[in-house]
Amino acid sequence: SLCLSLSLTLALSLSPSLSLSFSLCLCWSLSVHTFRGPHWCEYCANFMWGLIAQGVKCADCGLNVHKQCSKVVPNDCQPDLRHVKKVYSCDLTTLVKAHNAKRPMVVDMCIQELEARGLQSEGLYRISGFSELIEDVKLAFDRDGDKADISTNVYEDINIITGALKLYFRELPIPLITYDAYPHFMEAAKIPDADKRLEALHEALKLLPPAHCETLRYLMGHLKRVTQCTENLMTGENLGIVFGPTLMRAPGLDAMTALNDIRYQRLVVEGLITNEDVLF
């Protein structure tokens, strides 16, 4: 299943002597599919011939089309809740489209719960909750969606809620700060002049998909309020250390480069928190 806003050429090997290649616009989560029984293309309305791999199917909305038709299908996938089976590990844009929301319900509900009863908790986001209970919260969201109960009656320790929120961001298949935008944020963090660095961050934000940018805006506003509550002892720098590797990661980096990037990831998040009111 694929969900990227660019074009790739995919190859399907059906046997050592047969290979099919085609291009897909990855605004859809399309993958090669073997249909059982007769099927017709939902784009051209013609029959899908063959016994296996007759076409492609969108994992988000259930669209069935020929491989060739997938090249010209309009880029307007509307995910259907029947096909979106979970909340965690689901593409962020897919999730918000399926639920017709501005942001993932996990983000909204966890932040609302935290701000209602946890802002004064010392070491907020730095102190970890019990991993078993964090997994319970994850399962509750996957099972019940916005009906999940994360109130103090069920999870008294606020660190369980912070852990569940951080886990949601870590498990995104495409990070909140996307792979495409990552190098631009890294370069911005390396600029010594404060005004130019701020302008570069502003330009980098424009590269994020709308749902990612809106979620990041909401999260940074929340983290700004965390820093304004002195009882929790969490500064922008502290939160940058926690959230840098959580919100952004680059694929294919060697260990040494990834280690060096941690410093700049912290600076990116710290800069977004500090200048939240200007950048968004």
Side-chain angles (χ1 to χ4, degrees), residues 153-169:
N153 297 328
V154 184
Y155 302 104
E156 185 177 356
D157 182 5
I158 198 66
N159 299 310
I160 303 300
I161 309 304
T162 60
L165 183 60
K166 290 186 292 183
L167 181 64
Y168 171 74
F169 287 120

Side-chain angles (χ1 to χ4, degrees), residues 86-156:
K86 56 186 177 179
V87 172
Y88 279 68
S89 302
C90 177
D91 175 71
L92 190 149
T93 299
T94 296
L95 187 67
V96 298
K97 279 189 174 184
H99 289 270
N100 194 27
K102 292 173 66 177
R103 298 174 296 271
M105 84 283 287
V106 180
V107 177
D108 280 3
M109 291 175 62
C110 286
I111 286 177
Q112 288 163 13
E113 190 68 24
L114 287 162
E115 297 200 351
R117 63 182 174 100
L119 282 182
Q120 296 180 338
S121 178
E122 185 175 332
L124 191 67
Y125 285 113
R126 180 177 56 80
I127 297 174
S128 300
F130 288 112
S131 58
E132 294 87 354
L133 293 177
I134 292 171
E135 282 294 322
D136 282 348
V137 176
K138 171 185 172 179
L139 292 173
F141 275 115
D142 281 343
R143 182 183 63 244
D144 304 324
D146 58 7
K147 301 295 190 295
D149 186 358
I150 58 171
S151 67
T152 189
N153 297 328
V154 184
Y155 302 104
E156 185 177 356

Side-chain angles (χ1 to χ4, degrees), residues 92 176 205-206 208-218 280:
L92 190 149
L176 187 59
L205 285 169
K206 295 177 182 178
L208 296 177
H212 284 246
C213 192
E214 167 57 25
T215 303
L216 185 62
R217 180 199 66 78
Y218 189 72
F280 296 95

Side-chain angles (χ1 to χ4, degrees), residues 193-224:
D193 182 81
D195 290 338
K196 291 180 180 177
R197 183 168 62 248
L198 194 63
E199 180 59 32
L201 281 174
H202 188 261
E203 290 301 311
L205 285 169
K206 295 177 182 178
L207 301 174
L208 296 177
H212 284 246
C213 192
E214 167 57 25
T215 303
L216 185 62
R217 180 199 66 78
Y218 189 72
L219 176 63
M220 292 303 111
H222 163 65
L223 295 181
K224 182 75 167 284

